[in-house]
């Protein structure tokens, strides 16, 4: 588990991240669940699940694992059982959030590039099954993290803090789990999203060229293609979410590949470039759990309208209460 970093930057950054991440993800869940954003049930299911997973990441990784430990050292969440539980929860919620993004990207790839499979796969029933599978697998996969840690010391007959068991670095079983966990997140999701988006772009370019040829190279401004117009909303949403994920996970992935290749597991100090790269990657990783709502607001007109209604409704009620007193 990533240990809380000390310093003014972290003490300011993580509270701001929590103050933004919790309300924006909560608003996204409420707005999307109402089903008034003009999106299909299938897309809505994925976006609601992604927002809920992001909210859980903010609660577990930012609030419980960073803010509480920075501002309240010696709190009871540092008791070994709680510390081990936090570790497992951070890994599980992060993996679920990441793989839901992959599942959404794959769903949109099918919808855009595989027209024959689209009617059978891109349904709310399939989305519900996929989300349930990701949720179940994400929880089961990360249970071993609870048992990978042991008590650091005993004080007043209470077990405090947790550290990786020494056997974790020598046991073939634990080493296999470590490599599997590292490949499962972030390497495989990152590569999957890049590949799926590359294939989607290639398909769009080929289809667009073919349709222009069939339509006699008619100017799109005078005679827009209704087929491409219908896909535009889905394509913009897909590329926005995917690009956001790739950009904000890129630093973390670079650090992951560097320390796995060079076996750099320790640092000379807080000014060590590798340590700075690690912290920057982790901060950007957690930021990715707060940005999807802003993407919806920018790319989806109806979502923006619903968000405006949700924000202004309490203000209108307060103003009405004062005016009619």
């Amino acid at each position: 588990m990533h240990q809380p970093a000390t310093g003014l930057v972290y003490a300011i950054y993580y509270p701001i991240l929590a103050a933004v991440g919790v309300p924006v993800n909560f608003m996204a869940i409420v707005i999307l669940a109402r089903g008034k954003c003009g999106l299909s049930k299938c897309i809505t299911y994925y976006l609601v699940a992604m927002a809920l997973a992001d909210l859980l990441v903010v609660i577990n990784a930012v609030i419980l694992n960073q803010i509480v430990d920075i501002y309240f050292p010696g709190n009871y969440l540092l008791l070994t059982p709680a510390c081990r539980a936090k570790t497992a929860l951070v890994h599980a919620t992060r993996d679920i959030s990441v793989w839901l993004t992959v599942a959404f990207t794959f769903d949109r790839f099918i919808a855009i590039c595989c027209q024959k499979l689209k009617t059978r796969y891109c349904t709310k029933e399939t989305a519900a099954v996929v989300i349930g599978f990701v949720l179940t697998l994400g929880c089961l996969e990360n249970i071993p993290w609870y048992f990978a840690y042991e008590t650091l010391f005993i004080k007043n007959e209470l077990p405090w803090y947790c550290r990786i068991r020494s056997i974790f670095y020598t046991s073939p079983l634990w080493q296999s789990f470590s490599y599997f966990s590292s490949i499962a997140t972030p390497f495989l999701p990152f590569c999957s999203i890049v590949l799926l988006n590359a294939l989607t772009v290639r398909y769009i370019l080929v289809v667009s060229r073919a349709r222009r040829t069939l339509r006699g190279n008619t100017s799109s401004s005078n005679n827009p293609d209704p087929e491409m117009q219908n896909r535009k909303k889905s394509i913009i949403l897909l590329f926005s979410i995917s690009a956001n994920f790739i950009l904000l996970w890129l630093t973390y992935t670079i650090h992951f590949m560097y320390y796995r290749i060079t076996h750099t597991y320790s640092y000379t100090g807080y000014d060590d470039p590798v340590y700075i790269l690690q912290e920057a990657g982790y901060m950007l990783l957690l930021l990715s759990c707060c940005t999807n709502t802003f993407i919806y607001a920018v790319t989806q007109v109806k979502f923006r309208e619903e968000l405006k209604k949700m924000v202004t409704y309490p203000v209108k009620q307060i103003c009405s209460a004062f005016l009619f007193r």
Side-chain angles (χ1 to χ4, degrees), residues 145 168 173-183 256 260:
W145 282 115
F168 187 87
L173 186 61
W174 278 116
Q175 284 294 288
S176 299
F177 169 74
S178 176
Y179 277 103
F180 170 78
S181 181
S182 298
I183 293 172
F256 159 77
R260 277 296 180 185

Side-chain angles (χ1 to χ4, degrees), residues 21-35 37 44 47-52 54 292-294 296 303 307 310:
V22 171
V24 298
N25 280 303
F26 179 77
M27 286 191 294
I29 292 169
V30 173
I31 292 171
L32 291 168
R34 285 165 56 86
C37 296
T44 300
L47 296 186
V48 170
M50 289 162 62
L52 181 57
D54 287 344
N292 280 348
T293 301
F294 298 102
Y296 306 152
F303 181 91
L307 179 61
M310 187 174 182

Side-chain angles (χ1 to χ4, degrees), residues 123-199:
T123 63
K124 62 180 182 180
E125 291 80 12
T126 302
V129 171
V130 171
I131 291 168
F133 177 77
V134 171
L135 178 63
T136 303
L137 191 62
C139 292
L140 293 177
E141 175 198 345
N142 289 287
I143 288 176
W145 282 115
Y146 182 87
F147 302 99
Y149 287 78
E150 63 182 0
T151 301
L152 183 60
F153 62 84
I154 302 291
K155 182 180 180 181
N156 297 329
E157 299 183 355
L158 292 175
W160 286 93
Y161 297 93
C162 54
R163 64 182 177 187
I164 290 283
R165 297 176 184 274
S166 57
I167 195 175
F168 187 87
Y169 301 103
T170 57
S171 168
L173 186 61
W174 278 116
Q175 284 294 288
S176 299
F177 169 74
S178 176
Y179 277 103
F180 170 78
S181 181
S182 298
I183 293 172
T185 307
F187 187 73
L188 189 56
F190 190 88
C191 293
S192 299
I193 289 177
V194 171
L195 176 62
L196 288 171
N197 278 278
L199 293 174

Side-chain angles (χ1 to χ4, degrees), residues 267-302:
Y267 314 103
T268 58
Y270 293 138
D271 57 348
D272 188 324
V274 180
Y275 177 80
I276 295 172
L277 180 67
Q278 170 190 281
E279 291 303 315
Y282 194 72
M283 293 167 75
L284 290 173
L285 177 160
L286 294 177
L287 178 62
S288 68
C289 296
C290 305
T291 52
N292 280 348
T293 301
F294 298 102
I295 291 174
Y296 306 152
V298 171
T299 61
Q300 305 295 309
V301 175
K302 291 186 178 181

